[in-house]
Amino acid sequence: MSTLPDVRDLKPAGGKRSSKREQILNVFLNEEGHLTAEELVSRVQRDDRRVSRATVYRTIQWMVDAGIASRVDFGDGLARYERSYHHPRHNHLICNKCHRSFEFMSSDIEQLVDEVAASRGFSASQTVVQIHGVCEDCQHGRPAGSDHGLTDLLFARDALRMAIATERSGLEFYTRAARLTKDARGRSIFQKLAEEERHHLGTLEGRYAELLKRDPELETRPTFLFFKGAAHGLFAEGADRLLQGVDDQQALLVGIRCERGSHQFFKKYGERFEDSEGKQIFLEFASEEREHLDLLMREYRALVKRQGRRPRKGAGVPAARGTRQGRRA
Amino acid sequence: MSTLPDVRDLKPAGGKRSSKREQILNVFLNEEGHLTAEELVSRVQRDDRRVSRATVYRTIQWMVDAGIASRVDFGDGLARYERSYHHPRHNHLICNKCHRSFEFMSSDIEQLVDEVAASRGFSASQTVVQIHGVCEDCQHGRPAGSDHGLTDLLFARDALRMAIATERSGLEFYTRAARLTKDARGRSIFQKLAEEERHHLGTLEGRYAELLKRDPELETRPTFLFFKGAAHGLFAEGADRLLQGVDDQQALLVGIRCERGSHQFFKKYGERFEDSEGKQIFLEFASEEREHLDLLMREYRALVKRQGRRPRKGAGVPAARGTRQGRRA
DNA sequence: CTAGGTGCAAATAATTTGCAGAGGC
DNA sequence: GCCTCTGCAAATTATTTGCACCTAG
């Protein structure tokens, strides 16, 4: 039961803050997973016997209205509530044996769900994805480890991992491009781009290291954010041949396309997520890519002004980063 | 309220068949969508006042145990039940305004869900996917059309559509191959393959036409089965060049790869579905492709025996049908 | 001072159960 | 005749409400 440092300070509210509400809220926010109403009642009454069942129920309703809690339903007729404040939207794996549940998020599933809704002209407000079954521990008769509910941290971790993977594949790509490009000016552009990727990568890795300090076991925890098509196949293979005859203008155009793709990709997905640190990372990364993109575009325009626009040979600029290709695991 | 012809005959059971049970079962099976327990009670009591609430509840439990009904939970604390006998597993779009619900199925979502479960070592027994929101009718202030619950028919329709699309793209492919192939024997193999596809396509289209007779509006009803990667991109583009130098042995190998891919694809997906007409179609189509495949393989072996194995030039046989490429809509 | 929060107990709502009698095999 | 099903009414469970009282703003 690790403490959740910053959460309690900012409590958004509405209505009065009474001592009872404060008490119930604190108990609720200190729980990791989700609780049924009755569970919350007994947790609260363990501290203070005088708090009545009705008040807890009413406070739950208030928390839901205020956006602090959200209701989840596992189909057993009990209403469960979980923190939604600073906690990304997610889905559940639900074990029928030990009755624990595990959180995950999959942008690919969300994407498909959106497409289904769109095709029916349905305006979706919330989607529920639940996997009911038997968890790994129960299958192996293991004692059921603790269910660490560090979802926000896991989300941040996975978002950073994705940004890092993207940056890395960008670095690789530009490095290879620099190696292959014959034109000296083109080559130097790619070298510069590679250098920038390296630098940015360093920043991201620093941030990742900092995240690890918050929880030493963070790296070994299971994947929270499932996301294909992010770091895989973002840079087209086989562009090698085409790069050989690329000059500085064309090299900049290649860079622009890559950065634009990356920016759009992270922006698009960052926007789908609920408020949380992971969303922050997505959007920050998107805007960093945007800045980089703007820089490249200014540079490109300046170059054109100096040199005049040269005809582009070969349309073979690699597909934008963020494109879904190479979808296989 | 169309009648459901064959459903009532086969009722799987267990325990005694009393007149009350029979009554309740009939009422339940004649409903299209899902019912809450109370709704079923009042429907039943409309026919026969003497049936008690408790009996209905007990009979519901019996139906669930017998696999006739299954429970769905929309998160409002009411247990709902829907027919599961001869009704494919599916997911729901749930309208918050008119409280109707619409069914859909997406193999792509199921696929992703399976991958999430697998990555956590979770043995999934059931997955719930619900899209809550506002339906098209309610958004436009329209009067809320009837909710036709012909899911099984829709599934059959979509399964057939998919088989037809596959067959069609096979036909196109073999036709093009026959046009392009320079080697006379290779060409005649492709012509034969095209002819077979045409014939099979005819069969499928006949079956489709028969389906339409059961419900004249069937074609205009919304998509039930969402499925990318089925008919799209099954045959690789750009194989044209490679086909030119293909002889009869190689042409057969091309056909074998295509039919094998198609067989595996439909088998794999047919197996995921619950018992219903659509599943039938998937599995039938898979086994027809299998037969075709076996035929081609026998033919290939005979050819090799007659002619001896010739070296294959160019590995450029198109990717197997059923491969996921060209995933874009 | 007063709107809103709180406790208690009673009300509701969905579903289950105990028990005596009825009905299928 | 036995075992299961059925009806009725009472019990249980989860949640909400009425009402008198209390407290923060």
Side-chain angles (χ1 to χ4, degrees), chain A residues 33 56 78 110 141 163 175 274 280 285:
Chain A
V56 174
L78 298 201
E110 287 183 17
T175 306
E274 303 285 287
Q280 281 303 91
F285 188 62

Side-chain angles (χ1 to χ4, degrees), chain B residues 16 18 20-21 50-52 55 58:
Chain B
K16 293 184 180 169
S18 72
K20 294 290 158 64
R21 241 174 223 188
R50 290 164 311 178
V51 178
S52 85
T55 303
R58 283 189 276 234

Side-chain angles (χ1 to χ4, degrees), chain B residues 11-273:
Chain B
K11 285 169 224 157
K16 293 184 180 169
R17 322 304 232 35
S18 72
S19 61
K20 294 290 158 64
R21 241 174 223 188
E22 213 74 358
Q23 266 178 264
I24 296 166
L25 190 52
N26 280 337
V27 172
F28 177 70
L29 290 177
N30 272 322
E31 288 297 327
E32 335 221 271
H34 35 67
L35 293 170
T36 62
E38 275 321 301
E39 277 167 349
L40 185 56
V41 168
S42 60
R43 296 269 201 295
V44 168
Q45 291 188 338
R46 203 160 50 196
D47 295 348
D48 182 349
R49 188 64 49 80
R50 290 164 311 178
V51 178
S52 85
R53 187 177 258 68
T55 303
V56 175
Y57 273 92
R58 283 189 276 234
T59 303
I60 287 172
Q61 197 47 55
W62 170 77
M63 292 192 294
V64 171
D65 295 340
I68 300 167
S70 63
R71 184 184 160 138
V72 286
D73 213 296
F74 289 175
D76 57 358
L78 297 202
R80 282 154 218 275
Y81 299 87
E82 58 183 21
R83 184 154 23 103
S84 67
Y85 182 66
H86 273 202
H87 196 84
R89 167 164 38 101
H90 57 267
N91 306 120
H92 293 100
L93 290 144
I94 300 156
C95 180
N96 295 329
K97 282 257 160 72
C98 64
H99 301 287
R100 286 182 302 166
S101 79
F102 309 88
E103 301 178 347
F104 73 94
M105 173 193 270
S106 163
S107 288
D108 302 296
I109 292 177
E110 287 183 18
Q111 169 82 25
L112 289 168
V113 161
D114 284 356
E115 287 171 24
V116 170
S119 109
R120 294 277 189 114
F122 206 87
S123 152
S125 58
Q126 197 214 351
T127 78
V128 174
V129 179
Q130 294 174 345
I131 306 177
H132 297 257
V134 182
C135 73
E136 191 161 27
D137 288 342
C138 288
Q139 278 173 72
H140 296 63
R142 264 186 257 141
S146 70
D147 27 337
H148 36 72
L150 307 153
T151 300
D152 197 26
L153 206 54
L154 289 179
F155 184 26
R157 180 201 66 179
D158 291 348
L160 264 178
R161 279 184 181 173
M162 229 152 69
I164 287 169
T166 303
E167 217 48 74
R168 239 181 223 144
S169 81
L171 172 59
E172 252 169 56
F173 175 77
Y174 290 134
T175 306
R176 202 177 62 228
R179 188 154 25 81
L180 290 170
T181 302
K182 299 230 170 82
D183 180 276
R185 287 174 304 187
R187 190 166 56 240
S188 91
I189 294 285
F190 281 129
Q191 280 165 348
K192 211 179 97 190
L193 284 167
E195 194 41 55
E196 281 163 9
E197 296 293 89
R198 202 186 320 275
H199 174 256
H200 197 184
L201 187 56
T203 315
L204 289 172
E205 280 174 340
R207 187 151 177 199
Y208 189 70
E210 230 167 88
L211 214 60
L212 291 189
K213 276 190 224 145
R214 282 204 240 161
D215 171 14
E217 285 175 69
L218 187 59
E219 282 223 275
T220 65
R221 300 202 190 283
T223 310
F224 168 71
L225 175 57
F226 290 82
F227 214 159
K228 299 179 173 188
H232 306 292
L234 294 181
F235 293 88
E237 301 290 323
D240 293 8
R241 239 162 307 144
L242 298 152
L243 284 170
Q244 315 224 348
V246 159
D247 65 19
D248 50 354
Q249 280 192 17
Q250 290 162 335
L252 272 174
L253 284 173
V254 169
I256 285 171
R257 262 187 97 162
C258 290
E259 300 302 318
R260 178 179 294 140
S262 175
H263 160 69
Q264 285 173 349
F265 181 80
F266 278 90
K267 180 159 175 262
K268 174 179 164 194
Y269 282 103
E271 279 165 0
R272 334 172 61 93
F273 301 134

Side-chain angles (χ1 to χ4, degrees), chain A residues 99-170:
Chain A
H99 301 287
R100 286 182 301 165
S101 79
F102 309 88
E103 301 178 347
F104 73 94
M105 172 193 272
S106 164
S107 288
D108 301 296
I109 292 176
E110 287 183 17
Q111 168 82 26
L112 289 167
V113 161
D114 284 356
E115 287 172 24
V116 170
S119 110
R120 294 279 188 112
F122 206 87
S123 151
S125 59
Q126 197 214 351
T127 78
V128 174
V129 179
Q130 294 175 344
I131 306 177
H132 297 257
V134 182
C135 74
E136 191 161 27
D137 288 343
C138 288
Q139 277 173 71
H140 296 62
R142 264 185 259 142
S146 71
D147 27 336
H148 35 73
L150 307 152
T151 301
D152 197 27
L153 206 55
L154 289 179
F155 185 26
R157 180 201 66 180
D158 291 348
L160 263 178
R161 278 183 182 173
M162 229 152 70
I164 287 170
T166 304
E167 216 49 74
R168 240 181 224 146
S169 81

